[in-house]
Amino acid sequence: MILTLNQLERHLFRAADILRGRMDASEFKEYIFGMLFLKRCSDVFEQRQEEVREQLKQAGAGEIDIAHQVEFPDWYRATFYVPPQSRWQHLLKEAHQGVGSALNKALAGLEEHNPSLAGVLEHIDFTRKVGSTTLPDKKLRDLIVHFSEYRLRNEDFEFPDLLGAAYEYLIRDFADSAGKKGGEFYTPRPVVRMMVRLMDPQEGHSVYDPCMGSGGMLILAKEYLEEQGGDPRRLNLFGQEASGSVWAIAKMNMLLHGVSSADLRNDDTLTDPKHIVENGELRRFDRILTNPPFSIGYTPSQHFPERFHYGSVPEGAKKADLMFLQHMVACLKSDGRLATVMPHGVLFRGGDEKRIRAGMLEDDLVEAVIGLAPNLFYGTGIPASILVLRGKGAKPEERQGKVLFINADREFFEGRAQNYLLPEHIEKIASTYDAFEDVPGFARVVPIKELRDNDYNLNIRRYADNTPPPEPQDVRAHLKGGVPVAEIDARRPLFDAQGLDPMVLFTPRASAPDYVDFAEHLSEKRDLKPAIEADAGLQQKEASVMAAFEAWWAEHGGSITGLTGNGGRLTQLRDELLGSFTSALEPTAMLDRFAVRGIIAGFWFDNKNEFRTLQARGCLGVVDAWRTSILSLLEDEQSKANPLDHRLVHFLLEEYVAELEVLAARKAELDARIKAAEAKPEGDDGDESEESDGGDDDTPPPEQIKAWKSQRTQLRKQHKAKVASFETHLNAAVDALDEPAAAELVGTILHNDLKGILKRYIRQQRQQVIAAFETWWDKYRVTLADIEAERDTAAKELQQYLEGLGYV
């Protein structure tokens, strides 16, 4: 059975659980990374050794000769040679005492026999003291046994880059656990994805991250090119990281993603840049992507001081941000492009930083300034910005002498502890950057002259103000009632998009033609929502959108399930779907272009792993992977997820689930009956001598309650037996499928997923319409005259009450 991403993620999470409590995530992450890397190397070595053994056997070699030759390291140049003390089976069988030392020797042996791993594993020390003690043998032994649960060969994975995806999950989980420290090695992947999209790396490009952390920007640049149908082996990756342990995480990240050629260096980028060409100059790159540490102290460097010709901040000042930016500019090819995360302060602070900004602006390097939402990054709740720069003279002619400001600080999904960029937000930002044009309330193209006149202040809100207009307040309407027609007309674009004529919910005022009253049948605020939802025009418009969707799916849905074996087709298909979906839905004029593109972007992101599996294994492979995930949930006692909620179960075992629901409902009904029958009447003190003589006691007799309990027991047994047969039912249903049937099933499930996303967007827009009417109700339904009349009535009642008491 294949190993799915969900399985592997839970497997790695449980591995971390073994060590949680004894040390911080920031301390034990290297142990988990090291164990995963060692297990992967050992499994791949074992597979290659089997191939070599068979090859020698076919060549006629004897067993003794084969046993000797399979140990030659030259056979394993494409992978890693794993010496005997580093092999997983050796650790599993032999490492029972002094387990920490055995693991250290295994890592040292792996590094010693593979020069490309020099320095990567040496910092992982399983015998290091945690507090006053080292990790006990039992804990480390538990880790070895746990990692033995799954084999980690490529042939075992649901899609080729499964291990890399799982490693990314592990890094993200450790960043979540490490809190503020997580920001030192991890940039949230939606932000990275957006930056890579802006940079658009191509085959033959060199991509550089001078503050690479765990290497996520380089990995996603490689994935982006791969999804575009390009050859990721033709993307040259370079990175530098000051922290030795984080550099090692990045190296392992690359190797687990199948990237062995990345040139990653370990040192401080500002003081000692390591990527230097043969003539002693700094290497230059086509694309630079990075998230440098915010506002750290600046230490001058004797290496390549010409990097900082725009200016310098004082030594020790916690303003090194623009020094990093100058280093990037110095490392950029003449036609290159860079994107970097920066704190907002660098956009408007004066002094040395203003001089640096001014120099870059006058040289026309700055192409875009993008403001992001607060609380997106680990370690800081403050909002950050993205600066996009090009080499001097490299801007397209139509962009020269201009800077695009995008205010995306309202583009986020609010999470419990952190905010997130969703695919639709990325799509909106990226498509606005591509168009390089004004978008009211979101983006504005500003000429350099205006920036010069504003003293080179790049404060985003100054140029792209997305502050919503204040809610209008009509004094006359507050005093005399009625909704101003002017306010209704101002919201016409929203109503027209939804197909609603707002005037059908109002009646005109003959005495005041500029005001209207709510229709007579709308006597309470709660009447608004059903009246709007029942509107014929609105229903017709929503039906036209769904009809356009169904027609689009009928034409293009089959291209998704036809992905199998199309190696370079994945993102080509994404772009085709994006274009055709936009063309199909934009004419309905309900959703704006950003929302329409966001629907496909969100659908694609949610199902990206399914598409990878589909491409590698076909539709049967997707269904099989879903089955594996469901069955692993059954075995996972710690998981709170219900296997019956999986979308495959809903479609494949509809009758089975319905039968379970009937049994559960009948049991719940009997539970309620028995509980009601056995409940002591309110106020009953238990005195049986005081019996009611009313004759209307409808409490069931004991025989009836006993019969109900017997029925409940039988239902429990039936329900338990039914649940126990779930795996059998699921396996039988999946095994009965052939590829065409699986394609139809996968297509139906994906169709319903996308349809659900579209319906969610329609509901959100409909809710905006309802909210507009409810706002008018709250503002104008109660007039000053109503308030005064209510006051007078209350005063009269009080007067009568006081008179009755004799106080007046």
Side-chain angles (χ1 to χ4, degrees):
M1 195 172 284
I2 62 173
L3 181 62
T4 69
L5 182 59
N6 285 337
Q7 270 183 297
L8 189 51
E9 286 178 352
R10 285 198 298 274
H11 177 67
L12 295 174
F13 188 83
R14 290 198 301 271
D17 277 345
I18 294 172
L19 297 181
R20 282 188 224 275
R22 292 196 61 93
M23 59 179 78
D24 266 357
S26 58
E27 295 176 308
F28 70 69
K29 66 179 184 295
E30 287 88 358
Y31 293 168
I32 304 297
F33 291 147
M35 293 285 264
L36 176 64
F37 189 73
L38 186 60
K39 178 66 163 66
R40 164 66 170 175
C41 289
S42 185
D43 285 357
V44 172
F45 170 82
E46 189 178 83
Q47 180 181 19
R48 175 60 181 153
Q49 194 173 54
E50 290 171 4
E51 294 169 357
V52 171
R53 191 181 299 277
E54 183 61 29
Q55 191 175 333
L56 291 172
K57 188 175 180 181
Q58 292 294 329
E63 286 300 322
I64 296 176
D65 194 28
I66 290 174
H68 176 66
Q69 288 196 53
V70 293
E71 291 297 335
F72 291 170
D74 284 353
W75 289 110
Y76 308 97
R77 287 183 177 176
T79 55
F80 294 109
Y81 175 74
V82 182
Q85 76 271 24
S86 305
R87 294 171 194 171
W88 199 260
Q89 287 303 312
H90 169 81
L91 292 170
L92 188 60
K93 292 176 182 177
E94 306 296 334
H96 294 277
Q97 295 181 335
V99 181
S101 296
L103 287 168
N104 283 351
K105 289 176 183 175
L107 293 177
L110 188 61
E111 190 170 310
E112 179 186 344
H113 285 81
N114 299 277
S116 63
L117 293 178
V120 175
L121 305 173
E122 64 183 16
H123 70 285
I124 304 175
D125 182 6
F126 285 95
T127 60
R128 189 182 73 222
K129 280 193 173 184
V130 181
S132 59
T133 61
T134 59
L135 279 173
D137 281 347
K138 184 180 184 309
K139 284 279 185 188
L140 295 175
R141 184 70 196 164
D142 287 346
L143 268 183
I144 292 174
V145 172
H146 178 78
F147 272 100
S148 302
E149 187 175 337
Y150 294 122
R151 195 177 67 174
L152 302 179
R153 297 182 184 181
N154 287 345
E155 66 193 51
D156 302 316
F157 301 155
E158 67 168 318
F159 55 84
D161 196 28
L162 177 79
L163 198 63
Y167 190 79
E168 278 287 309
Y169 158 81
L170 197 57
I171 295 173
R172 183 178 72 248
D173 180 61
F174 283 132
D176 284 338
S177 303
K180 187 172 182 178
K181 290 182 179 178
E184 296 175 6
F185 60 88
Y186 186 82
T187 302
R189 291 311 181 243
V191 176
V192 178
R193 205 169 288 114
M194 184 261 291
M195 294 171 67
V196 171
R197 169 86 183 276
L198 298 180
M199 292 298 97
D200 189 29
Q202 300 296 314
E203 281 187 6
H205 276 175
S206 54
V207 181
Y208 172 53
D209 184 346
C211 308
M212 68 181 176
S214 58
M217 298 217 183
L218 300 176
I219 291 293
L220 262 67
K222 169 244 180 196
E223 287 185 359
Y224 174 85
L225 179 60
E226 192 170 18
E227 289 173 353
Q228 294 290 332
D231 183 354
R233 293 170 298 181
R234 296 189 59 198
L235 192 69
N236 304 303
L237 304 180
F238 301 83
Q240 187 163 333
E241 171 57 42
S243 166
S245 61
V246 175
W247 167 81
I249 291 173
K251 285 282 285 186
M252 286 188 278
N253 196 8
M254 294 291 163
L255 293 168
L256 290 173
H257 275 89
V259 180
S260 58
S261 59
D263 184 353
L264 309 183
R265 307 292 181 89
N266 177 207
D267 215 321
D268 187 301
T269 301
L270 283 185
T271 58
D272 194 6
K274 292 295 186 182
H275 292 95
I276 302 166
V277 293
E278 292 178 359
N279 63 2
E281 294 183 356
L282 285 172
R283 181 183 290 274
R284 294 176 180 270
F285 306 95
D286 297 289
R287 297 288 186 268
I288 299 177
L289 288 151
T290 195
N291 177 14
F294 283 7
S295 304
I296 62 169
Y298 172 59
T299 303
S301 169
Q302 300 304 313
H303 297 286
F304 306 101
E306 67 276 9
R307 291 177 289 169
F308 310 119
H309 72 274
Y310 288 109
S312 176
V313 297
E315 181 176 355
K318 294 195 177 227
K319 297 179 179 180
D321 311 281
L322 292 183
M323 306 308 288
F324 277 112
L325 185 58
Q326 289 189 83
H327 167 77
M328 295 174 224
V329 170
C331 294
L332 200 60
K333 285 185 177 179
S334 60
D335 59 348
R337 200 187 315 173
L338 73 85
T340 179
V341 182
M342 284 278 146
H344 273 264
V346 306
L347 302 178
F348 53 78
R349 285 195 295 251
D352 297 312
E353 289 175 295
K354 188 187 88 171
R355 281 190 290 276
I356 296 170
R357 276 199 315 274
M360 291 184 172
L361 287 165
E362 291 297 346
D363 279 349
D364 205 12
L365 306 183
V366 182
E367 182 175 38
V369 181
I370 303 169
L372 300 180
N375 204 28
L376 287 177
F377 295 85
Y378 292 96
T380 177
I382 63 171
S385 64
I386 305 291
L387 296 185
V388 179
L389 282 75
R390 292 195 189 238
K392 191 171 181 178
K395 281 187 184 179
E397 185 177 352
E398 66 276 10
R399 300 189 180 193
Q400 290 176 7
K402 303 170 186 174
V403 176
L404 173 67
F405 286 82
I406 298 176
N407 193 344
D409 64 6
R410 294 181 183 275
E411 306 299 317
F412 67 94
F413 171 77
E414 187 173 359
R416 187 177 61 182
Q418 191 174 354
N419 295 331
Y420 303 94
L421 278 180
L422 296 181
E424 53 258 44
H425 304 138
I426 296 173
E427 193 64 41
K428 184 174 183 179
I429 294 168
S431 59
T432 302
Y433 169 79
D434 291 340
F436 208 81
E437 61 188 18
D438 292 354
V439 178
F442 185 67
R444 184 177 162 226
V445 178
V446 181
I448 294 293
K449 181 183 182 304
E450 184 175 341
L451 299 177
R452 189 183 300 123
D453 293 342
N454 287 332
D455 208 20
Y456 305 104
N457 187 320
L458 303 183
N459 190 315
I460 298 167
R461 195 172 288 276
R462 187 169 195 160
Y463 306 102
D465 190 356
N466 62 357
T467 305
E471 182 66 36
Q473 302 293 337
D474 188 293
V475 176
R476 186 191 184 286
H478 280 300
L479 294 175
K480 297 188 177 183
V483 177
V485 174
E487 288 191 25
I488 298 172
D489 289 341
R491 303 303 299 270
R492 281 279 181 182
L494 172 64
F495 303 141
D496 290 345
Q498 206 71 20
L500 176 74
D501 177 5
M503 301 314 291
V504 301
L505 299 171
F506 294 108
T507 55
R509 281 190 168 192
S511 59
D514 291 338
Y515 295 84
V516 291
D517 291 314
F518 284 100
E520 288 185 10
H521 66 279
L522 301 173
S523 57
E524 297 184 32
K525 182 179 177 180
R526 65 185 178 186
D527 296 332
L528 293 171
K529 184 173 184 287
I532 292 169
E533 291 178 339
D535 181 79
L538 181 141
Q539 290 184 349
Q540 184 178 353
K541 188 62 171 288
E542 292 185 0
S544 71
V545 174
M546 298 312 299
F549 164 73
E550 294 295 351
W552 172 83
W553 182 269
E555 183 177 352
H556 298 279
S559 58
I560 297 176
T561 52
L563 261 175
T564 311
N566 288 321
R569 173 125 174 90
L570 201 54
T571 295
Q572 182 185 348
L573 175 62
R574 175 188 181 276
D575 292 341
E576 287 175 9
L577 296 181
L578 199 59
S580 61
F581 190 76
T582 302
S583 298
L585 264 71
E586 273 195 350
T588 65
M590 174 178 280
L591 303 171
D592 66 35
R593 62 190 174 96
F594 297 125
V596 171
R597 294 174 69 85
I599 289 168
I600 282 290
F603 166 73
W604 191 268
F605 180 77
D606 290 344
N607 294 284
K608 185 168 68 172
N609 291 327
E610 275 73 17
F611 296 147
R612 288 176 175 176
T613 305
L614 202 160
Q615 192 175 32
R617 296 177 175 270
C619 291
L620 270 176
V622 173
V623 176
D624 194 34
W626 283 339
R627 167 172 59 181
T628 303
S629 295
I630 293 166
L631 296 181
S632 67
L633 271 178
L634 283 176
E635 299 166 1
D636 188 354
E637 296 178 357
Q638 296 179 357
S639 175
K640 296 179 181 179
N642 184 357
L644 295 177
D645 292 336
H646 195 282
R647 51 189 174 173
L648 177 65
V649 176
H650 175 74
F651 283 94
L652 202 56
L653 300 178
E654 187 175 358
E655 290 184 11
Y656 172 85
V657 172
E659 290 169 6
L660 272 179
E661 288 174 348
V662 168
L663 290 172
R666 288 171 58 193
K667 177 184 165 299
E669 182 185 355
L670 286 172
D671 284 339
R673 286 184 187 176
I674 294 166
K675 183 177 180 180
E678 294 183 337
K680 189 180 292 185
E682 189 175 345
D684 189 351
D685 60 2
D687 187 353
E688 296 180 3
S689 63
E690 298 182 13
E691 296 183 1
S692 171
D693 59 355
D696 60 349
D697 185 2
D698 58 355
T699 302
E703 302 81 29
Q704 180 64 69
I705 298 174
K706 185 177 180 181
W708 285 343
K709 288 183 176 179
S710 176
Q711 292 175 35
R712 183 175 66 179
T713 300
Q714 290 301 315
L715 283 172
R716 281 176 176 167
K717 289 179 179 178
Q718 291 176 41
H719 189 270
K720 185 177 181 181
K722 197 75 177 174
V723 170
S725 68
F726 172 69
E727 184 173 346
T728 303
H729 278 81
L730 180 63
N731 284 331
V734 172
D735 292 341
L737 296 172
D738 56 13
E739 184 64 26
E744 183 178 352
L745 176 64
V746 171
T748 301
I749 290 174
L750 293 177
H751 164 272
N752 283 21
D753 280 355
L754 183 53
K755 186 176 181 179
I757 297 172
L758 176 58
K759 284 185 172 180
R760 173 166 58 85
Y761 273 75
I762 293 173
R763 279 196 306 272
Q764 289 171 350
Q765 186 145 317
R766 189 194 312 142
Q767 188 55 43
Q768 291 180 40
V769 173
I770 294 169
F773 279 84
E774 289 179 340
T775 299
W776 288 326
W777 184 282
D778 291 337
K779 286 198 299 182
Y780 303 131
R781 187 69 171 83
V782 179
T783 67
L784 178 61
D786 295 332
I787 296 171
E788 288 176 338
E790 190 176 341
R791 179 202 63 190
D792 293 344
T793 301
K796 186 176 180 181
E797 289 177 355
L798 177 61
Q799 180 70 17
Q800 292 172 349
Y801 180 70
L802 292 174
E803 288 175 357
L805 292 174
Y807 288 109
V808 179

